[in-house]
Amino acid sequence: MSLQKVTAKKLIEKKNKREKIITITSYDYSFAKIADESGMDLILVGDSLAMVVLGYKNTLLVTMDEMIHHTKAVSKAVTNALVVGDMPFLSYKVNKTEAVKNAGRFIQEGGAEAVKVEGGTEICPIIRSMLEADIQVMGHIGLTPQSIYQFGGFLVQGKTFDAAKKLILDARNLEKTGVFSIVLESIPWQLAKLITSVVKVPTIGIGAGPYCDGQILVIHDMLGIFTEIKPKFVKYFGNIGKSIRKALETYKSEVNQNIYPDQEHSYEFPQDALNDINKWFNSVDIDEESQKLKKHLF
Ligand code: KIV
């Protein structure tokens, strides 16, 4: 498959052509390489890293340094997809200067091409500062996991008239500020459909139904690797967790039974040298010889 470099502009063109935008998260080189080669339009180094890779109880605990570390690994693997770094909790809402500096780290150190931030109208001035520093920004509204304490948990958002109205207006304000795309997370599909029709930039849904311009999933969720939490919208497109478990059990059993490693997976010693080493081995005191080597070296 020959793939072309995806840019933010191309994603907007895809929306105009009514072509679906397929996106996924990744956190390391090997997964990102597979995701890129599979034709993903955008790869997000999500702060979901906190839960599915680092084992934290929620996304609020991941730091800038941890996010940059993983963004670097992903960027090295990707040639076609647009790489987006997810700005962690407190890295962009304290003040504009810190926000721009931290966003800049994703680009300069992490090798990302854009950043994602959670929030609506209230963070538009911060987004503007990033755009003024030539950093492309992706928005994220609905269930924004960095606000779970405020929401009272991982709860579906936008289910009342007032909440839905706020999300529609937030989307519009984010678009007007200049984001190139907006993630809609865990909102009713009817509301996601409305928002998608009202903004010119692509909406990327996760738990937001089929009418978004694109979709995103956490790769460890959709592959059945992270199974501790399974929101309604998660579909297992593979059961890699089960395959990994099975492979490890087989490995353990084969080593225990001396089945692995066999000749096929072992290196051969050249026959003439083998005779020499065996002769030498049987003729010396190994402790004495090791002492001699140590003395010789130090
Ligand atoms: O952190 C993340 O992975 C995300 C996506 C699920 C949108 O924000």
Side-chain angles (χ1 to χ4, degrees):
M1 195 181 353
S2 120
L3 300 165
Q4 282 205 334
K5 178 72 195 119
V6 179
T7 60
K9 194 164 158 253
K10 282 192 182 155
L11 294 181
I12 297 169
E13 285 166 10
K14 271 197 142 186
K15 172 170 177 132
N16 293 335
K17 289 192 263 175
R18 295 183 190 281
E19 286 174 18
K20 285 283 183 188
I21 298 166
I22 323 299
T23 82
I24 198 75
T25 68
S26 287
Y27 318 94
D28 66 28
Y29 179 87
S30 301
F31 271 73
K33 197 161 178 58
I34 296 171
D36 191 43
E37 287 169 357
S38 305
M40 294 295 118
D41 291 305
L42 179 154
I43 296 179
L44 172 72
V45 188
D47 64 355
S48 46
L49 164 77
M51 297 170 77
V52 302
V53 173
L54 301 179
Y56 296 145
K57 68 176 176 179
N58 59 47
T59 61
L60 281 79
L61 303 176
V62 72
T63 65
M64 266 303 294
D65 286 345
E66 286 165 334
M67 289 301 302
I68 296 293
H69 180 74
H70 287 265
T71 306
K72 274 184 192 172
V74 168
S75 306
K76 280 187 199 135
V78 175
T79 46
N80 300 305
L82 185 78
V83 177
V84 180
D86 204 4
M87 296 199 67
F89 179 62
L90 279 191
S91 69
Y92 56 100
K93 289 185 180 169
V94 176
N95 61 54
K96 287 183 191 169
T97 310
E98 258 190 65
V100 174
K101 271 195 185 155
N102 284 328
R105 283 191 66 193
F106 274 97
I107 311 296
Q108 201 166 47
E109 292 176 45
E113 295 154 282
V115 295
K116 176 171 84 57
V117 290
E118 295 183 6
T121 309
E122 65 286 357
I123 61 161
C124 285
I126 286 171
I127 293 175
R128 189 177 303 281
S129 309
M130 293 176 185
L131 294 167
E132 282 167 3
D134 297 324
I135 298 165
Q136 308 188 93
V137 184
M138 185 177 199
H140 182 164
I141 56 175
L143 171 54
T144 44
Q146 290 171 17
S147 314
I148 49 158
Y149 290 137
Q150 219 177 344
F151 293 151
F154 290 96
L155 305 173
V156 177
Q157 299 297 305
K159 283 170 82 175
T160 63
F161 172 80
D162 285 342
K165 196 168 96 180
K166 165 87 167 63
L167 287 175
I168 294 169
L169 300 179
D170 280 345
R172 187 63 138 200
N173 282 332
L174 288 173
E175 178 201 10
K176 285 203 168 137
T177 304
V179 300
F180 69 88
S181 175
I182 305 170
V183 171
L184 304 179
E185 179 163 352
S186 294
I187 61 173
W189 65 265
Q190 296 91 337
L191 176 58
K193 189 177 177 192
L194 260 182
I195 293 174
T196 301
S197 72
V198 103
V199 293
K200 291 191 179 67
V201 292
T203 57
I204 307 295
I206 173 162
Y211 296 101
C212 296
D213 299 303
Q215 295 293 325
I216 189 160
L217 281 173
V218 168
I219 197 162
H220 287 60
D221 286 344
M222 59 92 76
L223 293 178
I225 297 172
F226 183 81
T227 52
E228 287 163 37
I229 302 168
K230 186 180 180 297
K232 179 178 161 76
F233 61 79
V234 168
K235 176 174 173 179
Y236 293 144
F237 287 85
N239 206 332
I240 309 303
K242 207 168 163 189
S243 303
I244 294 173
R245 239 178 263 274
K246 177 131 189 18
L248 290 173
E249 281 162 14
T250 309
Y251 166 59
K252 183 178 171 188
S253 151
E254 288 200 6
V255 172
N256 274 333
Q257 295 176 74
N258 274 327
I259 296 172
Y260 176 86
D262 52 12
Q263 290 288 311
E264 190 193 337
H265 298 97
S266 304
Y267 299 105
E268 206 64 53
F269 205 99
Q271 192 56 48
D272 50 344
L274 183 61
N275 293 338
D276 291 345
I277 196 78
N278 278 335
K279 213 151 106 195
W280 171 84
F281 184 77
N282 292 324
S283 65
V284 294
D285 178 326
I286 292 299
D287 285 337
E288 241 174 56
E289 291 297 311
S290 345
Q291 283 302 328
K292 269 195 234 163
L293 177 63
K294 238 196 225 164
K295 269 193 202 145
H296 174 69
L297 289 178
F298 309 109

